[in-house]
Amino acid sequence: MNFVFISPHFPSHFFHFVTALRERGVTVLGIGDAPYESLRPELRDALREYYFVPSLHEEDSLLRAAGYLTWRHGRLQRIDSLNEAWLEVEARLREDFHVPGLQPMDIHRMRSKSGMAQVFQQAGVPHPDLIRVRDAGQVKDFAARVGYPLVLKPDVGVGAANTFKVSHAADVDAALAHPLPTTYVAQPYVRGTIVTYDGIVDRHGAIVFTLSHEYSDGGMETVVERRDISFWSHLEIPPALDVLGRQVVAAFGLRERWFHLEFFRLPDGRFVVLEANLRPPGGFIPDMMNYTCDIDVYRLWARVMTGDPVADFRYTPRYHVCHSARRHGRRYQYTHDEVVKRLGPAFILHRELPPIYHSLLGEEMYLTRHTDLDAMQDAVRFIQATVSR
C-alpha cells in the first residue's frame, strides 16, 4: 500500500502513526513543509520518500507533490494527515488521484457547523438551534426567537478561534460593526460541561475503540478569558452518551477514520451534541488514551488502515489520565520541581507546548495518571494553584 501522509511531522507525536504504518509493511510517502533534515530520526527512517513543499496551504504544490510520488511509486491507495486543517485539500487530492476516503462532496456536511447540524437533525440527535448569519439583523432576529445569550463562530473553524458570546443587541452591534470575514453561525449559548466521544471506526464502519473525556471549561471561555484548562479520561462512558455517539458516527457514514465528537452534558444530565471532528482528539489525547488503557492507539489505527483483523482487540480503561495546563506570565503557587515532587508516581509527562496550542491549551502541560477521581482533581488544583494578588 502506498500511503501519502501530509504533514507527518506535526503535531510532533503524529510520527507514531507513520512508524505504526511502516511496521505493517506500508510504503509511507510524506509531504510536508519542514526540511527533511529537521525531521526526527524515527520519522525519516519510516518514510520511503519525503517531498518538501514551502507551504501546505498551496494546493498546486500538493498536487505536484502527489503527482511526483505517483510517478515514483505507482498508484496511491490512501491520502491523509489526521489533521483538521487539511481535510479539504486531502479530499480534493483523493478525487484527483482516485483514492478512497472522504471526497469533496462529503466535506461540507462533515466540516461546516451548518452541515453538521443537518446531519444531527436527520439522525435525531439533540443539538442546539443554529443558523448561518452575515449581518447583525439576522442575529437579532434569531435572538428574538431563541433568546440571549448567543454564541457566534465561523461556520468552518478549528477550536474556539474567532468565537465570541453576545448577551444583548448592543453586543451584536459591537461584534458586527465590521463585515464578517467569512460565513458565521449563531446558536444559543449552552450552559453545560463538555464531554467527548472519541474513537476509531474500521473499514466497515464498526467502532473498534472509543473513550470519553471531560473538560474543565469550554474552548471559548478558555481562549477569551485565558483560563487554565484541564481535561481527563473517564473510566466508563455513560450509556446515554454511548447511544448518541454511535448514532452520530453512523449518520456520518464514517469508514477507516478517527472521530472526536463533542457534547454538552446539561445540568439535568441530558446530552446534546455540539460538533463532530473527523480526526484524532486534539493535543496529546492519543497518548492519554494509551496511558488510560495500557494500549497503543497508533498501532490500532494502522491495523484498521491496512485491513488487518481487529476483532481480537480488547481494552479496559484503568486510569483517569489528566492534562493540566499552565500559562506563562501567571504566578503559580508551586514551582515545577515542587509539582513533580508532590505528584510522585502519578506524574507522567511535562512538556512546553507549541505556539499553535497556546491560546487554548496554555504554554505548558502536565500529564498525570490516577486510579481515583478525587486524587486526580486534587492534583489539578495543586498544579494550577495561583498566587493571590
Side-chain angles (χ1 to χ4, degrees), residues 6 11 24-25 36 49 59 78 80 109 120 138 146 159 164 169 176 194 198 251 259-260 285 287 320 346 348 360 365:
I6 299 172
R24 305 203 74 76
Y36 178 76
E49 187 160 0
E59 191 169 336
R78 296 291 186 276
D80 215 326
R109 73 188 185 96
F120 300 148
Q138 291 175 309
V146 303
F164 43 93
L176 304 184
I194 292 182
D198 306 314
F259 57 85
H260 170 57
I285 291 182
D287 295 302
H320 297 285
I348 298 175
L360 181 59
M365 67 92 168

Side-chain angles (χ1 to χ4, degrees), residues 199-203 205-208 249 254-257 259 304:
I200 302 172
V201 295
D202 67 13
R203 61 179 48 187
I207 296 175
V208 298
V249 170
L254 302 181
R255 299 290 186 273
E256 294 182 338
R257 288 208 73 86
F259 57 85
V304 166

Side-chain angles (χ1 to χ4, degrees), residues 46-355:
L47 292 170
R48 177 68 63 84
E49 187 160 0
Y50 179 76
Y51 192 107
F52 170 78
V53 294
S55 171
L56 290 171
H57 295 284
E58 295 178 3
E59 191 169 336
D60 287 345
S61 296
L62 296 178
L63 187 64
R64 287 193 296 272
Y68 170 81
L69 294 173
T70 300
W71 173 72
R72 285 273 293 167
H73 301 277
R75 183 182 175 188
L76 309 178
Q77 278 77 37
R78 296 291 186 276
I79 300 174
D80 215 326
S81 71
L82 304 180
N83 195 303
E84 186 82 19
W86 318 122
L87 280 178
E88 292 184 8
V89 70
E90 289 168 11
R92 288 193 287 271
L93 289 174
R94 293 190 195 103
E95 183 178 58
D96 290 338
F97 291 88
H98 306 287
V99 173
L102 297 180
Q103 303 295 311
M105 63 183 297
D106 303 317
I107 293 301
H108 174 74
R109 73 188 185 96
M110 292 186 170
R111 193 176 183 217
S112 71
K113 293 174 178 62
S114 57
M116 292 178 202
Q118 293 177 4
V119 176
F120 300 148
Q121 183 177 18
Q122 292 165 1
V125 178
H127 178 257
D129 286 344
L130 177 148
I131 64 165
R132 300 176 74 187
V133 295
R134 291 290 299 185
D135 57 50
Q138 291 175 309
V139 177
K140 292 176 183 178
D141 289 344
F142 183 61
R145 178 161 61 88
V146 303
Y148 288 107
L150 301 176
V151 174
L152 303 180
K153 51 190 173 183
D155 194 17
V156 176
V158 181
N162 303 311
T163 297
F164 43 93
K165 176 182 174 183
V166 292
S167 299
H168 41 69
D171 286 348
V172 176
D173 291 332
L176 304 184
H178 301 286
L180 292 171
T182 184
T183 300
Y184 264 58
V185 297
Q187 62 185 152
Y189 177 81
V190 178
R191 291 176 175 85
T193 299
I194 292 182
V195 294
T196 71
Y197 189 76
D198 306 314
I200 302 172
V201 295
D202 67 13
R203 61 179 48 187
H204 305 293
I207 296 175
V208 298
F209 168 75
T210 187
L211 199 64
S212 178
H213 299 83
E214 181 170 328
Y215 289 72
S216 61
D217 289 292
M220 183 179 67
E221 293 83 359
T222 301
V223 171
V224 174
E225 301 175 24
R226 290 184 54 79
R227 298 182 184 179
D228 287 341
I229 194 172
S230 59
F231 43 90
W232 56 91
S233 51
H234 285 168
L235 299 187
E236 296 180 356
I237 299 177
L241 177 63
D242 189 53
V243 169
L244 294 177
R246 290 178 182 275
Q247 284 182 244
V248 173
V249 170
F252 278 105
L254 302 181
R255 299 290 186 273
E256 294 182 338
R257 288 208 73 86
W258 278 90
F259 57 85
H260 170 57
L261 313 181
E262 295 183 357
F263 289 80
F264 282 116
R265 185 180 64 228
L266 304 180
D268 62 6
R270 292 181 298 117
F271 294 95
V272 296
V273 67
L274 175 61
E275 64 181 41
N277 300 280
L278 312 180
R279 55 169 172 78
F284 290 85
I285 291 182
D287 295 302
M288 292 172 60
M289 291 173 158
N290 289 338
Y291 286 119
T292 295
C293 305
D294 286 330
I295 57 174
D296 190 326
V297 296
Y298 302 103
R299 288 189 169 103
L300 173 63
W301 171 81
R303 288 171 61 181
V304 166
M305 296 306 296
T306 55
D308 293 319
V310 291
D312 61 342
F313 178 73
R314 299 289 184 272
Y315 65 98
T316 301
R318 295 183 173 88
Y319 306 97
H320 297 285
V321 176
C322 181
H323 168 121
S324 301
R326 303 215 298 193
R327 295 184 180 276
H328 291 170
R330 185 162 293 164
R331 296 180 63 201
Y332 292 96
Q333 189 170 349
Y334 303 104
T335 67
H336 168 73
D337 290 341
E338 289 173 321
V339 168
V340 173
K341 183 178 179 180
R342 167 67 178 269
L343 294 176
F347 174 67
I348 298 175
L349 176 69
H350 168 264
R351 181 164 297 180
E352 296 287 329
L353 295 175

